Amino acid sequence: MTHSDAPWWKTATGYQIYPRSFCDSNGDGIGDIPGITSRLDHLRDLGIGFVWLSPVYRSPMRDNGYDISDYCDIAPEFGTLADFDDMVAQARARGIRIVMDLVVNHCSSEHPWFQAACASSQCDEHDYFYWREAGPDGGPPDDQRSCFGGPAWIWVESVGKYYFGFFGPQQPDLNWQNPALRQKIYQMMNWWLDRGIGGFRMDVIELIGKDVDARHYYEGPDMHRFIQEMHRKALAGRDIMTVGESGAVTARTALDYCGRDRAELNMMHQFNHIHAAWDPEKGRFGPSHFDLVTHKRILADWQDALADDGWNALFLSNHDLPRPVSQYGDEGRYRKRSAKMLALVTYLMKGTPFLFQGEEIGMTNVAYGRIEQFRDIETLGQYRDQSAAGVSDADFIAGANTNGRDNARTPMQWNTTAQAGFTCGTPWIDVNPNYVDINVADDRRDFDGIFAFYKSLISLRKSNITLREGAFALLEASHPQMFAYTRRLNGTCLYVLANFSAAEVTLKRPKGVTTAAKTLLTNMPTPMDVSDTLTFAPYEACVLCERT
Ligand code: TEU
Ligand code: CA
């Protein structure tokens, strides 16, 4: 296979934009579509091939757009359909496709479908949602809790029944068993695709096809049937890319979604390695159990599972996760070097990288001091539940600052002017005060900056077929500090070697590496010195190239 035979999304690098926090064009404190359009040159310079745009549909914004009240319109605070079309065209002119977020496991409780469904049990829309009678004790049908706090079954007096909101009352789950609803969703998808978008990222796609009575939610009995139907009705025959989000998918089930004969999706955003570091009891708000050996094993399992079929989506963070340098690297002395190391070792595996806004300049977590500074519905819901269970404010805030979703949602840091150049008004969420040191303008001026490194890495991926197609093999699987692997194709072998720790590491020269090995990429000022051993400074990472 030559470079040009591969679908565009295998060589392209993606970039996720969280619109509310990216760039505010009109001073209302909320990022918007004209703001994004005004920053497209930044993405072009970086070498981005597509943007995953978090939801911009009309929404009451309880979950910042993951609660949609009109699937065929743009939220007024983000702009208009005309602004959207202009952004798509201007992005296209820079070789960038816009991939939309498809949120169809649930809608907003303010969606007209739900309003009609609550007004009467007789209308067609009533069956677009899951309704159940009260249990024998007059309470909810079961004791399922919602992700954002409170019970998942919510009583509606006007129809005398409970509806199901897996995330919370403001996000009623759509009943995919209803065929008319499914057709409406496919129609809506075609409407956007015909407007020229580059594909979809599919929010919690694992939850469609659930059996609420059996309490089988994730990867439910009808999920694959519905994804296949969606493929036939909306995706087939189009030059687009699709990536499903699933917390439940594992390397063992991955090909059921993205195998070539499945006619479902191109790739999955999986979270096995992320959840492995969460506390088994307290989840993301508890202490971290990160372990490099486990992390590598999980990612290598995914590489192996999709070696010849399917495709990996590679990412370090998204709008639900903390900032990579804070989570895996060093926020202080080695911030720049560790940010580059993380990019190098993550994005040179086989797959398509998805950067998250701010990652290209090494933005960090924020340290809020007061609960009033948090905005995230999950954080605030968990705060209510955990305070009720006796957790102190200080403990809760420490957990939220470490792993809460608002870390990713602080405004993009563009420059050193007030509010980091994000807005000329008051931002909807406080800017991280470290913008005076960490911002796009300064980093881009630095020839040795994080931006410059990402740019080289992205361009290397584009031109190097071994990085796209080469076979992956993990090295040093049980080494507690090194993350190392090879990528091999025809006569070329690339050694990707990264010190994932703040302590120096000396390795025996890996088998196959000669003292003449060329350094293709490094996060240090000089090439790796290859003798019988290789010594890695804290967070040092490099790619060595051997031809056989
Ligand atoms: O998230 C799916 C999901 O289950 C988790 O990531 C969850 O939101 C949380 O982080 C668990 O602790 C998707 C979206 O990415 C997220 O922003 C939405 O809030 C959620 O679905 C509902 O649409
Ligand atoms: Ca705005």
Side-chain angles (χ1 to χ4, degrees):
M1 200 188 253
T2 67
H3 239 49
S4 50
D5 295 333
W8 57 268
W9 44 264
K10 289 195 174 181
T11 36
T13 292
Y15 184 99
Q16 183 189 354
I17 291 183
Y18 196 66
R20 203 173 185 81
S21 305
F22 191 64
C23 183
D24 173 21
S25 70
N26 61 354
D28 65 356
I30 299 172
D32 46 51
I33 292 173
I36 296 172
T37 307
S38 75
R39 296 291 185 176
L40 287 171
D41 286 349
H42 175 66
L43 305 186
R44 180 206 50 206
D45 295 350
L46 191 54
I48 294 304
F50 65 93
V51 164
W52 152 23
L53 184 65
S54 274
V56 291
Y57 314 85
R58 191 180 278 273
S59 157
M61 300 284 169
R62 305 284 184 71
D63 190 14
N64 294 348
Y66 287 91
D67 50 327
I68 296 168
S69 55
D70 184 346
Y71 286 98
C72 291
D73 201 2
I74 300 292
E77 55 267 67
F78 289 159
T80 61
L81 270 170
D83 293 332
F84 179 86
D85 290 341
D86 181 50
M87 172 185 63
V88 171
Q90 299 231 29
R92 224 19 192 298
R94 291 164 177 82
I96 301 170
R97 291 170 165 89
I98 302 288
V99 170
M100 287 188 89
D101 213 317
L102 183 77
V103 189
V104 290
N105 170 65
H106 47 266
C107 61
S108 160
S109 50
E110 292 181 26
H111 194 291
W113 293 339
F114 189 68
Q115 312 260 293
C118 289
S120 150
S121 316
Q122 302 314 310
C123 64
D124 291 347
E125 290 85 354
H126 187 76
D127 190 50
Y128 288 7
F129 301 90
Y130 295 101
W131 296 99
R132 293 293 180 272
E133 306 290 334
D137 60 350
D142 59 53
D143 63 357
Q144 180 64 35
R145 303 288 295 173
S146 77
C147 296
F148 299 154
W153 290 102
I154 303 103
W155 177 256
V156 175
E157 189 59 49
S158 46
V159 290
K161 279 184 272 192
Y162 286 91
Y163 71 90
F164 186 69
F166 189 74
F167 286 93
Q170 61 293 316
Q171 285 153 299
D173 281 58
L174 289 164
N175 173 17
W176 273 72
Q177 299 298 330
N178 182 295
L181 167 76
R182 298 205 302 276
Q183 296 315 313
K184 290 227 152 109
I185 291 172
Y186 307 146
Q187 257 169 32
M188 173 276 283
M189 292 172 69
N190 279 301
W191 187 80
W192 284 107
L193 289 165
D194 292 343
R195 268 192 128 80
I197 65 166
F200 290 109
R201 173 265 185 186
M202 301 184 180
D203 193 59
V204 285
I205 201 66
E206 60 191 335
L207 288 173
I208 69 169
K210 62 176 92 58
D211 178 344
V212 286
D213 300 310
R215 300 181 70 167
H216 181 182
Y217 307 120
Y218 295 102
E219 301 189 302
D222 290 311
M223 179 189 66
H224 286 296
R225 180 163 72 85
F226 293 152
I227 301 177
Q228 283 165 7
E229 184 183 71
M230 174 191 281
H231 186 274
R232 285 196 304 279
K233 298 281 171 79
L235 309 173
R238 293 184 184 265
D239 183 25
I240 56 171
M241 78 99 167
T242 52
V243 53
E245 184 210 29
S246 171
V249 63
T250 64
R252 282 201 1 242
T253 56
L255 283 177
D256 297 344
Y257 298 82
C258 62
R260 65 173 74 79
D261 351 300
R262 297 289 295 178
E264 294 192 20
L265 305 175
N266 297 135
M267 45 189 151
M268 296 300 289
H269 281 148
Q270 65 87 14
F271 298 87
N272 302 162
H273 56 306
I274 286 160
H275 294 156
W278 290 8
D279 189 78
E281 251 136 60
K282 296 186 178 153
R284 68 181 308 150
F285 294 98
S288 165
H289 300 279
F290 180 77
D291 167 54
L292 182 63
V293 174
T294 308
H295 183 82
K296 291 188 288 189
R297 183 185 34 80
I298 293 171
L299 294 175
D301 283 350
W302 272 81
Q303 291 286 309
D304 294 344
L306 306 184
D308 305 313
D309 191 8
W311 192 253
N312 269 286
L314 311 170
F315 66 94
L316 281 162
S317 71
N318 64 28
H319 65 294
D320 296 331
L321 297 171
R323 295 283 178 176
V325 272
S326 303
Q327 192 183 18
Y328 304 111
D330 179 293
E331 288 182 343
R333 176 162 173 214
Y334 297 120
R335 186 182 63 87
K336 273 170 62 174
R337 199 193 291 167
S338 66
K340 294 174 187 176
M341 178 280 287
L342 290 168
L344 186 151
V345 79
T346 306
Y347 300 137
L348 299 187
M349 288 188 280
K350 189 174 180 181
T352 296
F354 287 74
L355 280 47
F356 180 70
Q357 66 185 39
E359 178 186 327
E360 76 279 26
I361 56 163
M363 276 176 64
T364 67
N365 282 355
V366 68
Y368 288 145
R370 293 172 296 118
I371 194 72
E372 293 74 34
Q373 290 179 285
F374 293 90
R375 295 285 177 274
D376 171 31
I377 187 172
E378 181 189 49
T379 307
L380 299 175
Q382 290 295 328
Y383 174 70
R384 278 192 299 277
D385 278 7
Q386 297 200 21
S387 302
V391 175
S392 75
D393 274 22
D395 284 353
F396 184 80
I397 290 174
N401 279 338
T402 306
N403 208 8
R405 306 200 300 179
D406 278 337
N407 284 305
R409 303 175 182 189
T410 62
M412 181 71 181
Q413 294 165 201
W414 293 104
N415 54 48
T416 55
T417 66
Q419 310 298 355
F422 162 72
T423 179
C424 56
T426 306
W428 69 277
I429 186 169
D430 288 349
V431 167
N432 190 326
N434 69 12
Y435 74 87
V436 291
D437 299 314
I438 304 173
N439 61 75
V440 170
D442 286 348
D443 196 85
R444 286 190 60 152
R445 266 195 297 271
D446 179 357
F447 75 94
D448 188 33
I450 300 173
F451 180 89
F453 185 84
Y454 267 86
K455 198 173 158 166
S456 315
L457 185 132
I458 290 168
S459 111
L460 184 64
R461 273 193 78 256
K462 264 186 215 162
S463 59
N464 190 307
I465 192 164
T466 308
L467 287 176
R468 195 188 73 216
E469 296 293 338
F472 171 98
L474 190 65
L475 301 176
E476 302 286 347
S478 57
H479 198 292
Q481 291 160 279
M482 291 296 296
F483 190 164
Y485 55 84
T486 51
R487 300 291 312 279
R488 203 181 288 270
L489 186 72
N490 303 325
T492 302
C493 185
L494 303 177
Y495 293 79
V496 179
L497 309 168
N499 180 357
F500 219 90
S501 83
E504 192 178 278
V505 176
T506 299
L507 272 193
K508 234 178 74 209
R509 174 152 50 97
K511 211 170 123 258
V513 176
T514 67
T515 50
K518 278 226 300 285
T519 300
L520 215 60
L521 186 68
T522 167
N523 61 353
M524 299 299 280
T526 52
M528 173 56 69
D529 180 17
V530 183
S531 60
D532 284 347
T533 57
L534 282 70
T535 298
F536 293 82
Y539 300 109
E540 175 167 2
C542 66
V543 183
L544 302 180
C545 180
E546 284 288 352
R547 281 173 221 288
T548 50

